[in-house]
mmCIF file of all heavy atoms in Angstrom:
data_model
loop_
_atom_site.group_PDB
_atom_site.id
_atom_site.type_symbol
_atom_site.label_atom_id
_atom_site.label_comp_id
_atom_site.label_asym_id
_atom_site.label_seq_id
_atom_site.Cartn_x
_atom_site.Cartn_y
_atom_site.Cartn_z
ATOM 1 N N VAL A 12 70.160 -15.334 -2.422
ATOM 2 C CA VAL A 12 71.288 -14.449 -2.119
ATOM 3 C C VAL A 12 72.638 -15.147 -2.274
ATOM 4 O O VAL A 12 73.629 -14.511 -2.609
ATOM 5 C CB VAL A 12 71.165 -13.867 -0.694
ATOM 6 C CG1 VAL A 12 69.904 -13.032 -0.567
ATOM 7 C CG2 VAL A 12 71.173 -14.958 0.366
ATOM 8 N N GLN A 13 72.715 -16.443 -1.978
ATOM 9 C CA GLN A 13 73.893 -17.270 -2.235
ATOM 10 C C GLN A 13 75.130 -16.942 -1.393
ATOM 11 O O GLN A 13 76.116 -17.667 -1.439
ATOM 12 C CB GLN A 13 74.284 -17.196 -3.715
ATOM 13 C CG GLN A 13 73.256 -17.788 -4.658
ATOM 14 C CD GLN A 13 73.115 -19.290 -4.504
ATOM 15 O OE1 GLN A 13 74.100 -20.005 -4.341
ATOM 16 N NE2 GLN A 13 71.885 -19.770 -4.541
ATOM 17 N N SER A 14 75.110 -15.872 -0.610
ATOM 18 C CA SER A 14 76.296 -15.507 0.172
ATOM 19 C C SER A 14 75.881 -14.614 1.327
ATOM 20 O O SER A 14 74.799 -14.010 1.319
ATOM 21 C CB SER A 14 77.321 -14.773 -0.709
ATOM 22 O OG SER A 14 76.812 -13.536 -1.137
ATOM 23 N N TRP A 15 76.775 -14.525 2.338
ATOM 24 C CA TRP A 15 76.505 -13.647 3.469
ATOM 25 C C TRP A 15 76.500 -12.187 3.044
ATOM 26 O O TRP A 15 75.732 -11.377 3.566
ATOM 27 C CB TRP A 15 77.536 -13.874 4.568
ATOM 28 C CG TRP A 15 77.398 -15.204 5.239
ATOM 29 C CD1 TRP A 15 78.236 -16.266 5.144
ATOM 30 C CD2 TRP A 15 76.325 -15.614 6.104
ATOM 31 N NE1 TRP A 15 77.758 -17.322 5.889
ATOM 32 C CE2 TRP A 15 76.587 -16.948 6.502
ATOM 33 C CE3 TRP A 15 75.171 -14.981 6.575
ATOM 34 C CZ2 TRP A 15 75.752 -17.660 7.334
ATOM 35 C CZ3 TRP A 15 74.323 -15.687 7.411
ATOM 36 C CH2 TRP A 15 74.613 -17.011 7.790
ATOM 37 N N SER A 16 77.357 -11.832 2.079
ATOM 38 C CA SER A 16 77.364 -10.446 1.605
ATOM 39 C C SER A 16 76.053 -10.113 0.901
ATOM 40 O O SER A 16 75.529 -9.001 1.030
ATOM 41 C CB SER A 16 78.547 -10.214 0.658
ATOM 42 O OG SER A 16 78.464 -11.086 -0.465
ATOM 43 N N GLY A 17 75.511 -11.085 0.158
ATOM 44 C CA GLY A 17 74.221 -10.867 -0.483
ATOM 45 C C GLY A 17 73.112 -10.694 0.534
ATOM 46 O O GLY A 17 72.166 -9.935 0.325
ATOM 47 N N LEU A 18 73.248 -11.393 1.675
ATOM 48 C CA LEU A 18 72.238 -11.282 2.724
ATOM 49 C C LEU A 18 72.292 -9.929 3.406
ATOM 50 O O LEU A 18 71.269 -9.359 3.784
ATOM 51 C CB LEU A 18 72.451 -12.398 3.749
ATOM 52 C CG LEU A 18 71.465 -12.457 4.914
ATOM 53 C CD1 LEU A 18 70.063 -12.777 4.414
ATOM 54 C CD2 LEU A 18 71.921 -13.485 5.946
ATOM 55 N N LEU A 19 73.492 -9.385 3.569
ATOM 56 C CA LEU A 19 73.671 -8.170 4.348
ATOM 57 C C LEU A 19 73.686 -6.893 3.518
ATOM 58 O O LEU A 19 73.373 -5.821 4.029
ATOM 59 C CB LEU A 19 74.982 -8.263 5.150
ATOM 60 C CG LEU A 19 75.067 -9.413 6.163
ATOM 61 C CD1 LEU A 19 76.449 -9.465 6.783
ATOM 62 C CD2 LEU A 19 73.998 -9.273 7.234
ATOM 63 N N LEU A 20 74.073 -7.002 2.230
ATOM 64 C CA LEU A 20 74.329 -5.805 1.440
ATOM 65 C C LEU A 20 73.291 -5.528 0.361
ATOM 66 O O LEU A 20 73.327 -4.465 -0.266
ATOM 67 C CB LEU A 20 75.720 -5.894 0.788
ATOM 68 C CG LEU A 20 76.895 -6.050 1.768
ATOM 69 C CD1 LEU A 20 78.209 -6.160 1.009
ATOM 70 C CD2 LEU A 20 76.932 -4.878 2.750
ATOM 71 N N THR A 21 72.392 -6.464 0.092
ATOM 72 C CA THR A 21 71.370 -6.232 -0.928
ATOM 73 C C THR A 21 70.029 -5.919 -0.270
ATOM 74 O O THR A 21 69.784 -6.282 0.882
ATOM 75 C CB THR A 21 71.206 -7.462 -1.839
ATOM 76 O OG1 THR A 21 70.717 -8.566 -1.059
ATOM 77 C CG2 THR A 21 72.522 -7.849 -2.481
ATOM 78 N N ASP A 22 69.164 -5.241 -1.031
ATOM 79 C CA ASP A 22 67.837 -4.922 -0.503
ATOM 80 C C ASP A 22 67.056 -6.194 -0.193
ATOM 81 O O ASP A 22 66.371 -6.273 0.835
ATOM 82 C CB ASP A 22 67.059 -4.068 -1.517
ATOM 83 C CG ASP A 22 67.630 -2.663 -1.650
ATOM 84 O OD1 ASP A 22 68.310 -2.223 -0.703
ATOM 85 O OD2 ASP A 22 67.399 -2.021 -2.692
ATOM 86 N N TYR A 23 67.147 -7.184 -1.094
ATOM 87 C CA TYR A 23 66.448 -8.450 -0.856
ATOM 88 C C TYR A 23 66.949 -9.111 0.420
ATOM 89 O O TYR A 23 66.168 -9.604 1.238
ATOM 90 C CB TYR A 23 66.636 -9.393 -2.049
ATOM 91 C CG TYR A 23 65.979 -10.740 -1.847
ATOM 92 C CD1 TYR A 23 64.658 -10.960 -2.217
ATOM 93 C CD2 TYR A 23 66.695 -11.809 -1.283
ATOM 94 C CE1 TYR A 23 64.052 -12.193 -2.021
ATOM 95 C CE2 TYR A 23 66.095 -13.040 -1.079
ATOM 96 C CZ TYR A 23 64.776 -13.229 -1.456
ATOM 97 O OH TYR A 23 64.183 -14.446 -1.255
ATOM 98 N N GLY A 24 68.280 -9.114 0.588
ATOM 99 C CA GLY A 24 68.861 -9.763 1.762
ATOM 100 C C GLY A 24 68.465 -9.080 3.054
ATOM 101 O O GLY A 24 68.161 -9.741 4.055
ATOM 102 N N ARG A 25 68.451 -7.740 3.058
ATOM 103 C CA ARG A 25 68.064 -7.025 4.280
ATOM 104 C C ARG A 25 66.582 -7.241 4.596
ATOM 105 O O ARG A 25 66.206 -7.388 5.762
ATOM 106 C CB ARG A 25 68.380 -5.536 4.123
ATOM 107 C CG ARG A 25 69.874 -5.220 4.212
ATOM 108 C CD ARG A 25 70.101 -3.724 4.296
ATOM 109 N NE ARG A 25 69.825 -3.065 3.024
ATOM 110 C CZ ARG A 25 70.746 -2.826 2.098
ATOM 111 N NH1 ARG A 25 72.001 -3.199 2.290
ATOM 112 N NH2 ARG A 25 70.425 -2.200 0.973
ATOM 113 N N THR A 26 65.746 -7.264 3.551
ATOM 114 C CA THR A 26 64.322 -7.554 3.769
ATOM 115 C C THR A 26 64.129 -8.947 4.331
ATOM 116 O O THR A 26 63.331 -9.166 5.255
ATOM 117 C CB THR A 26 63.546 -7.406 2.450
ATOM 118 O OG1 THR A 26 63.726 -6.088 1.943
ATOM 119 C CG2 THR A 26 62.059 -7.662 2.662
ATOM 120 N N LEU A 27 64.885 -9.904 3.770
ATOM 121 C CA LEU A 27 64.814 -11.271 4.267
ATOM 122 C C LEU A 27 65.247 -11.347 5.726
ATOM 123 O O LEU A 27 64.620 -12.041 6.534
ATOM 124 C CB LEU A 27 65.702 -12.180 3.405
ATOM 125 C CG LEU A 27 65.836 -13.632 3.868
ATOM 126 C CD1 LEU A 27 64.490 -14.345 3.826
ATOM 127 C CD2 LEU A 27 66.862 -14.372 2.995
ATOM 128 N N SER A 28 66.311 -10.614 6.081
ATOM 129 C CA SER A 28 66.788 -10.629 7.469
ATOM 130 C C SER A 28 65.723 -10.111 8.425
ATOM 131 O O SER A 28 65.512 -10.686 9.506
ATOM 132 C CB SER A 28 68.061 -9.781 7.589
ATOM 133 O OG SER A 28 69.089 -10.294 6.770
ATOM 134 N N LEU A 29 65.040 -9.041 8.045
ATOM 135 C CA LEU A 29 63.973 -8.499 8.887
ATOM 136 C C LEU A 29 62.833 -9.505 9.041
ATOM 137 O O LEU A 29 62.269 -9.669 10.131
ATOM 138 C CB LEU A 29 63.448 -7.187 8.298
ATOM 139 C CG LEU A 29 64.409 -5.990 8.362
ATOM 140 C CD1 LEU A 29 63.818 -4.796 7.619
ATOM 141 C CD2 LEU A 29 64.717 -5.621 9.812
ATOM 142 N N LYS A 30 62.486 -10.186 7.946
ATOM 143 C CA LYS A 30 61.424 -11.190 8.012
ATOM 144 C C LYS A 30 61.812 -12.345 8.925
ATOM 145 O O LYS A 30 60.985 -12.860 9.690
ATOM 146 C CB LYS A 30 61.106 -11.711 6.614
ATOM 147 C CG LYS A 30 60.401 -10.712 5.715
ATOM 148 C CD LYS A 30 60.286 -11.224 4.298
ATOM 149 C CE LYS A 30 59.428 -12.462 4.211
ATOM 150 N NZ LYS A 30 59.283 -12.916 2.799
ATOM 151 N N LEU A 31 63.072 -12.740 8.866
ATOM 152 C CA LEU A 31 63.527 -13.845 9.714
ATOM 153 C C LEU A 31 63.528 -13.442 11.186
ATOM 154 O O LEU A 31 63.162 -14.248 12.056
ATOM 155 C CB LEU A 31 64.927 -14.290 9.279
ATOM 156 C CG LEU A 31 65.026 -14.948 7.899
ATOM 157 C CD1 LEU A 31 66.473 -15.265 7.563
ATOM 158 C CD2 LEU A 31 64.178 -16.211 7.834
ATOM 159 N N LEU A 32 63.924 -12.201 11.470
ATOM 160 C CA LEU A 32 63.867 -11.724 12.858
ATOM 161 C C LEU A 32 62.435 -11.700 13.366
ATOM 162 O O LEU A 32 62.158 -12.071 14.513
ATOM 163 C CB LEU A 32 64.491 -10.332 12.952
ATOM 164 C CG LEU A 32 66.012 -10.263 12.817
ATOM 165 C CD1 LEU A 32 66.478 -8.812 12.770
ATOM 166 C CD2 LEU A 32 66.685 -11.004 13.963
ATOM 167 N N TRP A 33 61.515 -11.263 12.519
ATOM 168 C CA TRP A 33 60.098 -11.276 12.904
ATOM 169 C C TRP A 33 59.634 -12.697 13.188
ATOM 170 O O TRP A 33 58.906 -12.947 14.141
ATOM 171 C CB TRP A 33 59.259 -10.661 11.786
ATOM 172 C CG TRP A 33 57.784 -10.845 12.021
ATOM 173 C CD1 TRP A 33 56.956 -10.026 12.732
ATOM 174 C CD2 TRP A 33 56.979 -11.930 11.573
ATOM 175 N NE1 TRP A 33 55.687 -10.531 12.745
ATOM 176 C CE2 TRP A 33 55.665 -11.701 12.040
ATOM 177 C CE3 TRP A 33 57.230 -13.058 10.796
ATOM 178 C CZ2 TRP A 33 54.612 -12.571 11.772
ATOM 179 C CZ3 TRP A 33 56.184 -13.934 10.534
ATOM 180 C CH2 TRP A 33 54.896 -13.680 11.015
ATOM 181 N N ALA A 34 60.041 -13.641 12.331
ATOM 182 C CA ALA A 34 59.615 -15.028 12.505
ATOM 183 C C ALA A 34 60.150 -15.613 13.807
ATOM 184 O O ALA A 34 59.445 -16.345 14.513
ATOM 185 C CB ALA A 34 60.078 -15.869 11.316
ATOM 186 N N VAL A 35 61.397 -15.298 14.151
ATOM 187 C CA VAL A 35 61.964 -15.790 15.412
ATOM 188 C C VAL A 35 61.184 -15.220 16.594
ATOM 189 O O VAL A 35 60.856 -15.945 17.551
ATOM 190 C CB VAL A 35 63.458 -15.408 15.511
ATOM 191 C CG1 VAL A 35 63.988 -15.690 16.901
ATOM 192 C CG2 VAL A 35 64.260 -16.188 14.479
ATOM 193 N N GLY A 36 60.862 -13.923 16.538
ATOM 194 C CA GLY A 36 60.071 -13.325 17.607
ATOM 195 C C GLY A 36 58.693 -13.936 17.725
ATOM 196 O O GLY A 36 58.199 -14.208 18.826
ATOM 197 N N ALA A 37 58.040 -14.167 16.570
ATOM 198 C CA ALA A 37 56.707 -14.783 16.582
ATOM 199 C C ALA A 37 56.759 -16.205 17.115
ATOM 200 O O ALA A 37 55.847 -16.651 17.821
ATOM 201 C CB ALA A 37 56.121 -14.768 15.172
ATOM 202 N N LEU A 38 57.825 -16.937 16.798
ATOM 203 C CA LEU A 38 57.977 -18.303 17.298
ATOM 204 C C LEU A 38 58.087 -18.313 18.818
ATOM 205 O O LEU A 38 57.427 -19.099 19.500
ATOM 206 C CB LEU A 38 59.221 -18.943 16.674
ATOM 207 C CG LEU A 38 59.560 -20.369 17.104
ATOM 208 C CD1 LEU A 38 58.430 -21.320 16.735
ATOM 209 C CD2 LEU A 38 60.868 -20.826 16.468
ATOM 210 N N GLY A 39 58.914 -17.413 19.379
ATOM 211 C CA GLY A 39 59.047 -17.350 20.829
ATOM 212 C C GLY A 39 57.764 -16.914 21.503
ATOM 213 O O GLY A 39 57.372 -17.473 22.527
ATOM 214 N N PHE A 40 57.083 -15.928 20.914
ATOM 215 C CA PHE A 40 55.824 -15.463 21.491
ATOM 216 C C PHE A 40 54.765 -16.556 21.458
ATOM 217 O O PHE A 40 54.016 -16.739 22.422
ATOM 218 C CB PHE A 40 55.331 -14.242 20.718
ATOM 219 C CG PHE A 40 54.035 -13.685 21.246
ATOM 220 C CD1 PHE A 40 54.003 -12.932 22.396
ATOM 221 C CD2 PHE A 40 52.848 -13.933 20.572
ATOM 222 C CE1 PHE A 40 52.812 -12.424 22.880
ATOM 223 C CE2 PHE A 40 51.649 -13.437 21.049
ATOM 224 C CZ PHE A 40 51.635 -12.674 22.212
ATOM 225 N N GLY A 41 54.704 -17.303 20.346
ATOM 226 C CA GLY A 41 53.729 -18.381 20.247
ATOM 227 C C GLY A 41 53.971 -19.469 21.267
ATOM 228 O O GLY A 41 53.031 -19.983 21.881
#
C-alpha cells in the first residue's frame, strides 16, 4: 500500500486492516 491513504482508501488496504484487527484480537485472546 505504501501510504496511509492506500491503507484506508483501497480495497486491499481495508482488507489488510481487518486482518490486522483480527490478529490483535487473537493475540490478546491467546
Side-chain angles (χ1 to χ4, degrees):
V12 298
Q13 295 293 319
S14 66
W15 291 110
S16 60
L18 181 65
L19 299 175
L20 301 179
T21 64
D22 290 338
Y23 178 89
R25 286 190 288 267
T26 302
L27 175 63
S28 299
L29 290 174
K30 289 172 64 178
L31 293 177
L32 288 174
W33 171 87
V35 170
L38 179 61
F40 180 77

